[in-house]
Amino acid sequence: MDWEAFYNSFRTPDFIPGFEIENRLGGGAFGDVYKARRSSLGKAYAIKFLKVESDDQRAAVERELDQVRHLATIDHPNLVSIEDLGIVMGVPYIVMGFAGDETLAKRLRAGDLTAGEALRVFTQTSRGVRALHDRNMVHFDLKPSNVFLHGDAARVGDYGLSKLLDTGRMTLSIGRGTPMYMAPEILRSRADHRADVYSLGVIL
């Protein structure tokens, strides 16, 4: 993968057709997220470019993307919407609704939440996770930085690589999760929706 060529090109107009990529919002082990605007409307979105270092990883990610295309049909007030996905210059990407810059992680760093605020955020986060579980999906990477806050609304994001519960092995072949919030069974590559319940408990 020629990452130098990718980073020299990804801010050019229509690198992702119809979008202009702006500033970096954040990132982690699985990819970097950038704010983008739809050229025709000026509406803000977030685009996550997934880090893949080998052909095996790329094939695994592409299989996951193909499995979860139906996530774009989910319309839930406590989930960040998925608008599109694809591959550019060999790099898979996911286009998501822009849920703002504020996350639960940033909010907690600024100071403690009141009991009422904590209850509201946790309840809405749980409703978003329940919406995934109702569709036989598991997030597998719930943490405060994946809970977006805007006004009184909390939305769960970064679920584009959630795993469809269709086999006994529930985790991504490239690995998944953040150790502090990860259920132990994920390390054994056998987990189900209860792994998300564990992560919610840690967040609470």
Side-chain angles (χ1 to χ4, degrees), residues 86-113:
I87 301 172
V88 59
M89 291 184 67
V91 178
Y93 67 86
I94 301 173
V95 180
M96 301 167 285
F98 181 64
D101 298 307
E102 182 79 351
T103 66
L104 179 57
K106 291 182 180 179
R107 177 65 182 81
L108 290 172
R109 285 196 293 269
D112 293 340
L113 276 66

Side-chain angles (χ1 to χ4, degrees), residues 64-76:
E64 296 299 328
L65 290 178
D66 189 60
Q67 286 186 7
V68 301
R69 287 181 185 277
H70 69 285
L71 287 173
T73 66
I74 299 177
D75 183 15
H76 192 278

Side-chain angles (χ1 to χ4, degrees), residues 84-155:
D84 200 1
L85 47 81
I87 301 172
V88 59
M89 291 184 67
V91 178
Y93 67 86
I94 301 173
V95 180
M96 301 167 285
F98 181 64
D101 298 307
E102 182 79 351
T103 66
L104 179 57
K106 291 182 180 179
R107 177 65 182 81
L108 290 172
R109 285 196 293 269
D112 293 340
L113 276 66
T114 66
E117 289 172 331
L119 178 61
R120 172 176 54 79
V121 170
F122 185 75
T123 299
Q124 293 188 29
T125 301
S126 298
R127 287 172 179 163
V129 174
R130 175 65 183 269
L132 292 177
H133 291 181
D134 284 347
R135 293 164 175 82
N136 292 323
M137 305 298 298
V138 182
H139 192 292
F140 283 135
D141 196 18
L142 291 168
K143 54 188 175 183
S145 60
N146 282 338
V147 177
F148 293 84
L149 307 178
H150 184 71
D152 291 332
R155 295 182 176 87

Side-chain angles (χ1 to χ4, degrees), residues 29-202:
F30 295 99
D32 292 326
V33 182
Y34 288 83
K35 186 176 181 179
R37 292 194 180 276
R38 188 176 289 279
S39 305
S40 58
L41 300 174
K43 184 178 178 180
Y45 292 84
I47 298 180
K48 181 168 188 173
F49 294 104
L50 303 173
K51 294 178 180 177
V52 287
E53 300 294 344
S54 68
D55 290 339
D56 288 343
Q57 284 186 346
R58 183 174 295 105
V61 170
E62 290 175 5
R63 286 195 299 271
E64 296 299 328
L65 290 178
D66 189 60
Q67 286 186 7
V68 301
R69 287 181 185 277
H70 69 285
L71 287 173
T73 66
I74 299 177
D75 183 15
H76 192 278
N78 301 122
L79 289 174
V80 176
S81 62
I82 292 179
E83 304 291 336
D84 200 1
L85 47 81
I87 301 172
V88 59
M89 291 184 67
V91 178
Y93 67 86
I94 301 173
V95 180
M96 301 167 285
F98 181 64
D101 298 307
E102 182 79 351
T103 66
L104 179 57
K106 291 182 180 179
R107 177 65 182 81
L108 290 172
R109 285 196 293 269
D112 293 340
L113 276 66
T114 66
E117 289 172 331
L119 178 61
R120 172 176 54 79
V121 170
F122 185 75
T123 299
Q124 293 188 29
T125 301
S126 298
R127 287 172 179 163
V129 174
R130 175 65 183 269
L132 292 177
H133 291 181
D134 284 347
R135 293 164 175 82
N136 292 323
M137 305 298 298
V138 182
H139 192 292
F140 283 135
D141 196 18
L142 291 168
K143 54 188 175 183
S145 60
N146 282 338
V147 177
F148 293 84
L149 307 178
H150 184 71
D152 291 332
R155 295 182 176 87
V156 175
D158 202 18
Y159 60 92
L161 288 182
S162 298
K163 181 65 177 175
L164 186 64
L165 295 185
D166 57 357
T167 66
R169 295 182 61 84
M170 301 305 184
T171 55
L172 288 177
S173 57
I174 61 171
R176 186 73 170 149
T178 301
M180 186 180 295
Y181 299 92
M182 185 189 297
E185 60 267 27
I186 293 180
L187 300 176
R188 298 193 297 268
S189 297
R190 295 190 65 86
D192 57 25
H193 68 282
R194 291 170 291 184
D196 283 351
V197 177
Y198 179 98
S199 299
L200 285 171
V202 179

